[in-house]
Amino acid sequence: MSTLAEPLVYLNGAMTPIADAKVSVLDRGFIFGDGIYEVIPIYQRRLFRAKHHMARLFRSLASISIPNPHSEAEWMALIDQVVAAHPADDQMVYLQVTRGVAKRAHAFPADSTPTVFIMTNPIPLPSMAVRAAGVACVSMEDKRWLRCEIKSISLLGNVLAAQNAVDNNAVESIQFRDGFLTEASSSNVWIVKDGVLLGPPKDNLILEGIRYGLIEELCAAHAIPMRVRRIGRDEVFAADEVLLTSATKEVLPVVSLDGKPIGNGTPGPIYAKLYEAYQAAKAAA
Ligand code: PDD
């Protein structure tokens, strides 16, 4: 049974109350984590960076050989339908595609129909008080697989990293692989040193956030020097600023790592510039 107040979700061709949205226990998303997802911010009922999210969705599907069940126009229409059914003006859309339902066997089934699920919720943005104070993070070894560039629903490594943060009263776990910065459990990580913003390479060790490209654009537009290169663990601890970016954090300042202050322990000037530029980009979208 569902209540009228429940937001509607999209599942395999139908809009339905979330309580009534059911998939088979044989769905390969449930059995193998065999699927991909997207998280898209919506401001004032408009998708932010929609084209970029669509391009990443298409890349993710192609990278694990799930046939794309919809054209870009169809995807946009489906997302619009879910957004329109929700009362909040600012939302975050979650969409997931799995390889579908099949008898359990690891390799791809000969013919399965992808499962398509779309829901939306109010976007949980950090409060201005959190922004003003900055957030604490903890460091940990990156023990995830070597295909982190795929926005896969197989997120156990990220789940454990997120819980590690919670267990240590931190907002995120900042991960290092072989002594070099990769990313946090569900955010990209940046450092600032001597006025230069540094980001890790966009390779198989991180998910290329849609905010990654946006930060590059904002740096270019606002004359913030930026470089992409491998970043050592010591450099992160010695940085003037550390920033997180994600659909829900936008850009967020890190003021301590493993209990040690970053820079002077308060949000820095490059953060302030990028935050302002981010808000302007939202308003202009
Ligand atoms: N996470 N890296 C990881 C591992 C992520 O999960 C995310 C986003 C990012 C940032 O990507 P973007 O700028 O496109 O949000 C980087 C989303 C928000 C999530 O899983 O909920």
Side-chain angles (χ1 to χ4, degrees), residues 37 39 56 151 158 183 185-188 209-211 246-247:
Y37 75 107
V39 176
R56 186 171 65 183
K151 202 161 172 63
N158 305 62
E183 61 182 341
S185 77
S186 61
S187 347
N188 288 121
I210 299 308
R211 263 112 309 263
S246 80

Side-chain angles (χ1 to χ4, degrees), residues 37-41 53 56 92 94 144 148 151 155 158 172 175 183-189 206-213 245-250 278:
Y37 75 107
E38 269 300 320
V39 176
I40 311 170
H53 281 280
R56 186 171 65 183
M92 65 169 179
Y94 175 89
R144 299 172 304 157
C148 296
K151 202 161 172 63
L155 285 172
N158 305 62
E172 263 287 24
Q175 302 175 101
E183 61 182 341
S185 77
S186 61
S187 347
N188 288 121
V189 181
I206 68 166
L207 179 80
E208 184 183 336
I210 299 308
R211 263 112 309 263
Y212 195 118
T245 59
S246 80
T248 48
K249 296 183 186 73
E250 300 185 334
Y278 196 111

Side-chain angles (χ1 to χ4, degrees), residues 51-63:
K51 287 263 169 219
H52 301 79
H53 281 280
M54 284 296 118
R56 186 171 65 183
L57 169 65
F58 287 20
R59 269 201 322 272
S60 298
L61 288 167
S63 69

Side-chain angles (χ1 to χ4, degrees), residues 110-164:
D111 54 350
S112 62
T113 305
T115 298
V116 177
F117 172 57
I118 310 174
M119 67 174 167
T120 191
N121 284 288
I123 188 166
L125 295 175
S127 68
M128 290 318 285
V130 166
R131 293 196 165 283
V135 299
C137 288
V138 286
S139 70
M140 68 182 281
E141 181 66 22
D142 192 338
K143 295 181 184 151
R144 299 172 304 157
W145 71 333
L146 295 172
R147 298 297 308 278
C148 296
E149 82 281 12
I150 303 172
K151 202 161 172 63
S152 161
I153 61 167
S154 302
L155 285 172
L156 186 54
N158 305 62
V159 165
L160 296 178
Q163 187 58 36
N164 176 63

Side-chain angles (χ1 to χ4, degrees), residues 191 193 198 229-240:
I191 74 166
K193 191 68 185 176
L198 298 170
R229 64 159 170 82
R230 303 223 298 166
I231 299 164
R233 185 183 164 87
D234 292 350
E235 290 186 277
V236 178
F237 281 89
D240 300 326

